[in-house]
Amino acid sequence: RHLSNCITLETKTTTFPFFHQASHHIPIPYLSIATMKFSVSALAFIPLATAFSVNHRPSAAFTKSALSAHKTPVFDEVCETTGVTLTRFMNEVALLNPELQELTVLFGGIETACKALSNLVKRSQLPSSDTLGYQGEVNIQGEDQKKLDVISNDVLKRALRFTGRLGVLASEEEDDPVDLMDEKEVLLDDTGKYVAVFDPLDGSSNVDAGIPTGTIIGIYEHDDECATDDADQDACLTNTLRSGDNLVAAAYCLYSSSCFFTLTLGNGVYGFTLDEQIGEFVLSNPDIKIPEESSIYSMNEANYNMWDEPLKKVVNGWRDGTGKSGKKFSSRYIGAMVGDVHRTLLYGGVFGYPGDTKNPNGKLRLLYEGAPMSFIMEQAGGLASTGTKRVMEIVPDIVHQRVPIVMGSKNDIQEIIDAYAEA
């Protein structure tokens, strides 16, 4: 059955521990969807069997082959209408593309998680929040984990798990992929249809200073044969170790002056802004197209002396106005991927974290940063490359593999690609 357009947003204040011995108390927004008879709660700890029941079983239209073909979704005028809510947008997509109906439920969980995380980030500066600073633990990359990293990871895991549409997830804060179908309190209608990869709080090193942060999410199809508790996890890893060309959807949330939610389902890029008065994301930027060329670049120029010579040559041309466009570029660098890419999408230009002599593979993770953001960039008419190879074509060898990356306006990125080809 299609989701009803009559969806009620409720906000209640509930207090309970986040996890283990934490004692944070957070207001929790959740969606109550009457026709599907379940609630999606980003932070609920109750067994899922008491939270929802789904009697609907996927029809032939929902078989794996339907999405594997990567059929371009069909959109109509509703999806181009500014002011339409994200819920209505996804319902319309499901009506026009029945094979994506389960994806709308998953995005309901993502939407709820982004609202909860936006509230957490906004309140993090208050003395009573106790969410700033370090957790005292190190993630798989050897990076010190901020408290908000851990909390954000937990919020997203629970929000996605409770949709009943997710089989496996891989996160920057998890050592290995997590099999959500092993959770005893989760009641699944059939099997999880999707695999989610995400960076729960990109730019978290900036959060103490109130600088924009974000969440990056990529969604693949799930192989039902995966079992994360196997002695060697090869069968499960094949769910996540796939190139960006296999992505079904990608999205990011930006927590800044407003909370922005930008997504692609493989047919353009659509930007939503959270209207806190009604508690809904509303369509503010339909069918985003990045300008083909610009005069802005966003890179950490402190690493300039360690960059490859072809990249140095291009950047030097941009600085003095002798590049292919003849324009003199200016530098705009936030130091958080979601914020820099969001500005690049809207204004045009280049965002990059290239490889250098210190970090030949760059610092951005391919699976849950590089690939999803490249998918969004390409759907907006831009390019994403390592300088020598299209990012979307790279198949990761390990979950946390890093990749050098430049992305942005088509002509500007092509100038970099040509420089590497001529070197």
Side-chain angles (χ1 to χ4, degrees):
R1 291 175 296 182
H2 296 301
L3 287 172
S4 169
N5 287 338
C6 300
I7 295 185
T8 306
L9 182 79
E10 303 178 71
T11 302
K12 292 189 178 180
T13 302
T14 306
T15 58
F16 54 82
F18 261 106
F19 45 82
H20 297 301
Q21 297 175 345
S23 59
H24 310 289
H25 303 311
I26 306 295
I28 301 171
Y30 64 90
L31 294 177
S32 175
I33 306 178
T35 55
M36 294 297 288
K37 298 182 182 178
F38 71 91
S39 296
V40 179
S41 174
L43 305 174
F45 280 77
I46 58 175
L48 195 61
T50 65
F52 72 89
S53 62
V54 181
N55 297 320
H56 165 71
R57 294 184 65 83
S59 65
F62 301 138
T63 60
K64 181 177 296 186
S65 60
L67 280 179
S68 295
H70 290 292
K71 170 186 170 185
T72 301
V74 177
F75 289 177
D76 64 9
E77 66 276 7
V78 173
C79 300
E80 307 291 338
T81 304
T82 302
V84 167
T85 67
L86 177 57
T87 301
R88 173 69 191 282
F89 179 93
M90 293 304 299
N91 288 347
E92 195 71 19
V93 170
L95 288 169
L96 296 168
N97 307 272
E99 71 277 7
L100 297 181
Q101 187 172 6
E102 293 189 22
L103 194 61
T104 67
V105 182
L106 187 56
F107 266 93
I110 294 171
E111 175 186 6
T112 302
C114 285
K115 291 175 185 176
L117 292 177
S118 176
N119 188 53
L120 282 168
V121 171
K122 186 186 302 182
R123 294 178 56 83
S124 65
Q125 302 298 320
L126 298 175
S128 60
S129 72
D130 194 30
T131 55
L132 296 182
Y134 291 96
Q135 177 73 12
E137 298 177 359
V138 176
N139 66 14
I140 186 64
Q141 281 81 237
E143 302 166 336
D144 290 327
Q145 288 181 310
K146 292 290 189 88
K147 291 179 182 179
L148 271 178
D149 281 325
V150 179
I151 295 171
S152 300
N153 189 62
D154 193 60
V155 167
L156 271 164
K157 282 170 60 178
R158 294 177 183 279
L160 295 174
R161 187 181 71 194
F162 289 166
T163 63
R165 298 298 186 271
L166 194 67
V168 179
L169 64 82
S171 165
E172 180 178 7
E173 307 304 330
E174 300 284 348
D175 292 1
D176 297 303
V178 178
D179 188 349
L180 297 183
M181 291 185 289
D182 272 349
E183 298 291 339
K184 301 305 181 185
E185 70 268 35
V186 176
L187 175 65
L188 294 173
D189 174 41
D190 189 14
T191 57
K193 183 177 177 63
Y194 298 108
V195 174
V197 295
F198 58 80
D199 182 351
L201 196 62
D202 173 71
S204 60
S205 60
N206 292 325
V207 74
D208 290 13
I211 295 173
T213 54
T215 298
I216 305 171
I217 300 168
I219 299 174
Y220 297 87
E221 285 180 310
H222 173 44
D223 182 354
D224 296 340
E225 296 179 0
C226 167
T228 53
D229 56 355
D230 286 346
D232 65 11
Q233 296 182 340
D234 290 346
C236 182
L237 288 174
T238 58
N239 276 276
T240 53
L241 299 184
R242 287 181 280 178
S243 70
D245 279 331
N246 291 293
L247 280 164
V248 175
Y252 67 77
C253 294
L254 172 63
Y255 314 119
S256 184
S257 59
S258 294
C259 180
F260 302 96
F261 186 95
T262 303
L263 67 84
T264 182
L265 303 175
N267 186 15
V269 178
Y270 293 80
F272 298 78
T273 304
L274 180 61
D275 184 339
E276 295 186 353
Q277 295 297 314
I278 63 173
E280 290 274 10
F281 283 103
V282 297
L283 183 61
S284 52
N285 297 93
D287 198 15
I288 298 171
K289 295 299 180 187
I290 184 174
E292 290 193 354
E293 65 179 30
S294 183
S295 58
I296 303 172
Y297 67 96
S298 304
M299 300 182 192
N300 186 353
E301 293 185 89
N303 296 327
Y304 172 85
N305 291 333
M306 297 185 289
W307 290 347
D308 296 336
E309 288 303 321
L311 182 59
K312 285 184 182 179
K313 178 182 177 182
V314 172
V315 171
N316 285 335
W318 290 346
R319 285 172 170 176
D320 57 27
T322 59
K324 286 188 176 180
S325 69
K327 297 179 181 178
K328 192 170 183 178
F329 279 50
S330 58
S331 178
R332 299 284 186 274
Y333 185 64
I334 298 172
M337 185 182 191
V338 175
D340 280 314
V341 171
H342 183 72
R343 185 198 56 246
T344 301
L345 273 175
L346 298 181
Y347 299 162
V350 173
F351 166 77
Y353 207 117
D356 53 43
T357 54
K358 182 180 179 181
N359 299 292
N361 294 322
K363 294 193 71 176
L364 298 177
R365 266 66 59 156
L366 171 61
L367 190 64
Y368 40 83
E369 292 175 320
M373 294 302 250
S374 295
F375 187 26
I376 292 172
M377 186 61 71
E378 288 192 358
Q379 284 295 311
L383 295 177
S385 173
T386 65
T388 59
K389 189 171 185 178
R390 180 170 167 261
V391 173
M392 292 282 284
E393 295 176 348
I394 302 174
V395 180
D397 296 317
I398 58 175
V399 171
H400 302 288
Q401 179 174 322
R402 298 175 189 265
V403 63
I405 192 166
V406 287
M407 62 171 62
S409 296
K410 180 180 178 181
N411 294 346
D412 298 334
I413 299 300
Q414 190 61 52
E415 185 175 357
I416 296 175
I417 295 172
D418 292 343
Y420 273 92
E422 294 168 2

